[in-house]
Amino acid sequence: MTPEEQNFMRKIEAEEKIEPKDWMPDAYRKNLIRQISQHAHSEVIGMQPEGNYITRAPSLRRKAVLISKVQDEAGHGLYLYSAAETLGISRSEMIEQLQSGKAKYSSIFNYPVLTWADIAAIGWLVDGAAIVNQVSLQRTSYGPYSRGMIRICKEESFHQRQGYEAMLALAKGSPEQKAMAQDALNRFYWPALMMFGPHDSDSAHSQKSMEWKIKRETNDDLRQKFVDQTVKQIEVLGLDHPDQAIKWNEARGHYDSSDLNWDEFWSVINGNGHCNRQRIEHHIAAHDEGEWVRDAITAYNEKKRAKKAQQAA
Amino acid sequence: MSEAIKAATLEYATRLGDDSVVLGHRISEWISYGPFLEEDIAYGNVSLDYIGRARMFYTYAAELANDGRDEDDFAYMRNDREYRNLLLMEMPKGDFAYSQVRQLFADVYYTYVLPELLQSKDETLSAIAAKAIKETKYHLRRSRDWVLRLGDGTEESHKRTQKAVDALWGYTHELFDMDETEQMLADAGIAVDVSKLRGAWLAKVTEILTEATLTVPADDWAVRGGRVGYHTENLGHMLTEMQIVHRSFPGCKW
């Protein structure tokens, strides 16, 4: 090990944060860029399925809550892009990678949002799963990412409470509303569990990420936490648990549950879910349509600068 | 409050609520479609401000109506022929230039309407205006900046922006129309006499458009009818979308 590497590993072991100007191994940098940009893209693509219901929200209050939630997601996308930029990649490069399919985003957003209850389920389960992961990432070894997570977690837990409260209103509402809630739970429960990624044994990036303390807990451990916390929440709603095999295991101190449909997981990851194509096309269309606007800003700023220079001369 | 004044105030609050909910809805259509992420956030902010205003106006209308309706009954249970918003607010989102020009026209309008509404003898309307004035300052800063940049940006952005100004101009005249209901309320010191505000509006808009190298159109056409429910075809589609879930489950709480 070079002295630089030794110093780096010493910091990691001592739980000191790595900061943008510090020396870091190339693979650490690459791994972080991959993870943070994927996280940023997830926030941004996640705006689509939820945004899809802004214009149809069933009450003005719910509409306002949903708009501010989607707006928060955009804000999270921004902090995360900025955090990744500290590692030497630009936002436009990241967007390019998203649009070309080189960079991934959370597969959950490739599932269609069909009913209002899906919006509630996303807030409750998807933001709930995200928080389990992000709470753990507050202790990640890279300073800007860790600080971003601390900030984001506060907002996500607010979203999760809003989502659960919206779900509760449905579950305690009319029979049709309750059926809508059950249907959304049945569809979003499994993909929410898949958000934690493949089993540890199948996870390409896990081991090194754990060693460098980019990730602090394994996919399976985080998933178990989420399974455990969700059982009681479903009971309070008075809905049926989608997993008939769910069972408390006294010896483990955790719930046992069914294995996931990994064929579906890989199929969606590889771009073949219900909405993969639609999400990327939407992003590209909005980006392309915005090009003349971005060009206008550049042209305007150049004109102003030229005018200023002329005045100064 | 006399019965006549009360009924007119109910109508007035409903009109202002309709303006806000319709414009707020149109702005919200931009979320995830903006030219970059910062704009999605800004659109969210502005939209939230308008939805917030709509809720306050409708809640007040519901209080005056005192017939068991709430804010959502006003927003979701009335048809397009019953809506009383200004036509400008319901025009579709169009391209980015179109939405920003509409926003500029609306923001300049509220810049002059709200300080007057703040003086209203009706405490609730005055309180809503007090909150909205602060929001509109920020809205105008943003729409003005955009119109300057788009108007004086590239050839394409200039062309699109001028096209938007020309297309929307004819819908701005009714912003300053008064009818018997509003005149009665204005005489009682409750409503704003908008007919007195066109001069100020035109001066400000002219100043901004000129700085943006855009041409102020001639006043050779005007479309009117929002305040009597004579809408463009756009509102029906907008309300169909907005009201579908609420109306599909009658009587439900959300």
Side-chain angles (χ1 to χ4, degrees), chain B residues 215-227:
Chain B
T215 307
V216 178
D219 291 327
D220 52 2
W221 65 283
V223 178
R224 299 181 145 91
R227 292 291 190 232

Side-chain angles (χ1 to χ4, degrees), chain A residues 63-211:
Chain A
K63 193 187 198 68
V65 169
L66 184 58
I67 291 172
S68 49
K69 180 179 181 206
V70 176
Q71 194 188 21
D72 285 348
E73 314 290 0
H76 298 170
L78 277 184
Y79 319 145
L80 288 162
Y81 282 133
S82 307
E85 280 179 326
T86 63
L87 292 157
I89 184 168
S90 69
R91 206 208 296 186
S92 56
E93 281 173 273
M94 288 184 266
I95 289 176
E96 159 93 41
Q97 290 176 355
L98 168 69
Q99 295 186 345
S100 71
K102 190 181 162 210
K104 303 274 186 226
Y105 55 88
S106 180
S107 59
I108 190 79
F109 300 120
N110 293 314
Y111 290 83
V113 166
L114 303 177
T115 70
W116 172 253
D118 289 9
I119 294 293
I122 288 179
W124 164 39
L125 296 171
V126 175
D127 288 62
I131 295 166
V132 169
N133 191 26
Q134 288 165 2
V135 163
S136 160
L137 286 173
Q138 290 179 348
R139 295 185 296 119
T140 191
S141 56
Y142 188 57
Y145 193 28
S146 160
R147 291 188 288 274
M149 282 301 112
I150 291 168
R151 198 166 158 187
I152 287 173
C153 274
K154 286 186 192 143
E155 292 181 352
E156 296 284 10
S157 58
F158 181 67
H159 298 165
Q160 200 234 359
R161 280 203 301 279
Q162 292 282 0
Y164 191 69
E165 191 254 336
M167 200 70 175
L168 197 59
L170 297 172
K172 304 292 176 198
S174 73
E176 291 84 356
Q177 284 176 306
K178 188 173 179 183
M180 196 198 287
Q182 182 71 57
D183 172 50
L185 170 59
N186 294 348
R187 279 182 290 111
F188 275 92
Y189 179 75
W190 304 102
L193 295 185
M194 293 179 193
M195 285 172 69
F196 296 98
H199 280 314
D200 300 334
S201 51
D202 300 324
S203 178
H205 306 286
S206 272
Q207 201 197 340
K208 208 64 191 165
S209 289
M210 293 290 290
E211 208 174 288

